[in-house]
């Protein structure tokens, strides 16, 4: 392995101003989670997919592993840090073209550097009958990195939106999936898989390729959109989860539900009067359809389930007297990125305030770790999980911000956020120990995970009985020299 020869080769491809190495890498070490900094040999910033192909070929020739990032805001799970030492980071933020938007067919073809804010603004202007499925992360975070991490927007799971991927494999070859692999006189993005195996899924939470573009499904803007807010005390959590499942099964709910505990909501409001749990979900359609959904949701969740249901419409969320929290929450449900959650994160540690540049999370005193187990949408089991999380966190003197997010009738993604003061060594150590224990004890108790940070990844890929042997076979074909993201969602 010769990193210096690889760096010289990359420099010729991208130009001096788009590569950093040596002392210029010092600012990479800081990360909001206070994970030990990985040794990174260079950061290379290609300007187009052709340069990505060249970078991979050089990496292969010199056996220097690469770790691709889109905009690098994988906060809580590793930020820009690779899983293992010795990688060069391929920062794809210069690939920021919205290549195409088809309003009537409702898709956008975006490159990795395209941000939520960029795509949302473009759609508002050029394709107003569509909307982006927005996450609670920064407006400047990417659509594609979130998709590849198998992230979740406020309307649905991001992976439901993939209509095709353009990928550079570890061999240096560029390929496209599904019908996009060929060409033809007609639109190619109406049928996701094409003939044969569906390859899209191979590239999310994987280290089999560097994705240089994705065809992403857009949300149709319907006549009416309202946001339901559910408020309920702790002893009704299981009832509400069961009620939400019923609403999904009967077809009343079609968008993902977020259920936040008070720690998460209190950080976003000046009010001290929130109930223990706050649920949020968009209902949309014609006004008659929405009226019916609201009535159904009220009937299922209020009587017997103990939730109070408040309905927020566009006028209430955007009027002159609108509550700032409500505006931010309505905004993300209706396709407009918001900084409300990011600002809330900074306020989660007493005495801390958001920095001027909210995207500078890696360089403030705030510490943030995330543990992400998945649970069936089944009240009793969700309750057991939350109780176990609270027991472990209490033992570490931590009050976690918890979200239980049913994506449909089958599973809820749970987010356990641990916040701490990174300048306090004892607090930092307690948070890390708590996060380790959360992963181990939840696993021992039969819970499994849907996303994982770079520190706990080796533990989970080791204990988890995934189809790893088959993955290794695919890896040897797609990346014969194992130069792509070693250790990422894969046993090393
Ligand atoms: C306040 C707050 C709110 C958040 N809300 C949400 C939310 O609602 N939903 C959610 O899902 N997440 C959320 N997050 C987590 C995170 O910030 C987002 O997932 C964010 O989109 C990830 O950053 P990114 O887009 O820059 O992706 P990146 O950090 O660039 O990418 C994520 C990972 O994907 C892989 N990757 C990236 N690009 C490529 C590529 N082109 N080819 C191959 N592999 C690649 C890399 O391993 C990388 O580490 C939140 C975080 C915070 C702090």
């Amino acid at each position: 392995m010769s990193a210096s020869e690889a760096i010289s080769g990359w420099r010729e491809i991208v130009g001096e101003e788009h590569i950093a190495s040596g002392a210029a890498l010092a600012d990479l070490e800081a990360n909001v989670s206070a994970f030990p900094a990985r040794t990174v040999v260079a950061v290379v910033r290609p300007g187009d997919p052709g340069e990505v192909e060249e970078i991979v070929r050089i990496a292969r020739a010199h056996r220097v592993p690469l770790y691709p990032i889109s905009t690098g805001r994988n906060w809580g799970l590793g930020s820009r840090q690779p899983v293992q030492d010795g990688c060069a980071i391929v920062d794809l933020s210069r690939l920021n073209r919205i290549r195409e938007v088809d309003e009537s067919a409702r898709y956008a073809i975006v490159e990795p550097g395209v941000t939520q804010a960029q795509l949302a603004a473009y759609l508002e202007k050029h394709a107003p009958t569509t909307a982006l499925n927005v996450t609670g992360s920064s407006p400047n975070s990417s659509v594609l990195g979130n998709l590849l991490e198998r992230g979740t927007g406020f309307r649905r799971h991001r992976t439901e939106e993939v209509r095709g991927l353009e990928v550079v494999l570890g061999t240096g070859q560029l390929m496209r999936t599904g019908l996009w692999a060929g060409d033809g006189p007609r639109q190619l993005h109406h049928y996701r898989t094409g003939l044969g195996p569906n390859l899209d899924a191979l590239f999310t939470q994987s280290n089999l390729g560097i994705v240089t573009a994705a065809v992403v499904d857009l949300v149709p803007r319907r006549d009416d959109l309202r946001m339901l807010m559910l408020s309920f005390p702790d002893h009704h959590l299981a009832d509400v989860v069961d009620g939400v499942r019923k609403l999904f099964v009967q077809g009343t709910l079609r968008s993902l539900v977020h259920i936040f505990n008070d720690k998460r909501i209190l950080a976003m409001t000046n009010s001290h009067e929130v109930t223990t749990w706050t649920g949020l979900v968009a209902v949309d359609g014609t006004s008659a359809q929405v009226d019916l959904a609201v009535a159904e949701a009220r009937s299922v969740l209020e009587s017997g389930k103990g939730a109070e249901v408040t309905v927020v419409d566009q006028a209430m969320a955007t009027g002159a007297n609108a509550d700032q929290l409500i505006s931010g929450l309505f905004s993300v449900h209706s396709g407009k990125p918001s900084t409300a959650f990011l600002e809330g994160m900074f306020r989660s540690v007493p005495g801390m305030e958001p920095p001027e540049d909210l995207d500078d999370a890696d360089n403030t005193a705030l510490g943030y770790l995330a543990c992400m187990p998945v649970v069936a949408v089944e009240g009793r089991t969700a309750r057991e999980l939350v109780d176990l999380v609270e027991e472990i966190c209490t033992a570490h003197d931590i009050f976690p911000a918890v979200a239980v997010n049913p994506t449909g009738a089958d599973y809820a993604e749970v987010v356990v956020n641990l916040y701490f003061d990174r300048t306090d060594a004892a607090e930092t150590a307690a948070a890390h120990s708590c996060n380790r224990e959360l992963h181990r004890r939840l696993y021992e108790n039969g819970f499994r995970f849907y996303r994982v940070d770079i520190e706990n990844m080796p533990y989970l890929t080791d204990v988890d009985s995934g189809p790893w042997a088959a993955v290794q076979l695919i890896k040897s074909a797609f990346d014969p020299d194992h130069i792509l993201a070693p250790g990422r969602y894969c046993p090393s």
Side-chain angles (χ1 to χ4, degrees), residues 313-358:
D313 63 17
Q314 172 90 20
M316 289 160 75
T318 54
N321 299 322
D323 178 284
Q324 219 184 332
L325 171 69
I326 306 284
S327 301
L329 294 175
F330 190 86
S331 163
V332 288
H333 284 86
S334 56
K336 263 197 175 164
S338 160
T339 55
F341 285 88
L342 206 45
E343 287 176 44
M345 172 174 86
F346 287 107
R347 295 212 170 85
S348 299
V349 172
M352 281 195 197
E353 282 299 316
E356 207 164 295
D357 177 2
L358 291 173

Side-chain angles (χ1 to χ4, degrees), residues 67-68 70-74 92 136-137 142 146 151-152 211 451 488:
Y67 191 80
S70 288
T71 49
R73 287 163 172 80
N74 206 16
L92 297 156
S137 189
S142 72
N146 181 257
T152 316
V211 179
R451 263 160 99 175
R488 173 172 153 77

Side-chain angles (χ1 to χ4, degrees), residues 59-81:
R60 211 181 160 194
H62 297 285
R63 299 283 195 281
V64 182
L66 301 173
Y67 191 80
I69 58 169
S70 288
T71 49
R73 287 163 172 80
N74 206 16
W75 295 313
L77 300 181
S79 300
R80 294 169 295 174
Q81 297 278 320

Side-chain angles (χ1 to χ4, degrees), residues 52-66 68 166-175 203 206-211 474-486:
V52 178
E53 290 177 72
E54 288 304 313
I55 288 167
V56 173
R57 285 195 192 115
I58 290 169
R60 211 181 160 194
H62 297 285
R63 299 283 195 281
V64 182
L66 301 173
E166 180 183 271
V167 189
V168 176
L169 301 177
T171 55
Q173 279 167 292
L174 186 138
M175 62 161 274
F203 298 102
S206 96
N207 61 3
L208 298 172
I210 299 182
V211 179
I474 300 170
K475 178 84 177 162
S476 352
F478 283 17
D479 180 18
D481 297 307
H482 291 244
I483 47 144
L484 299 183

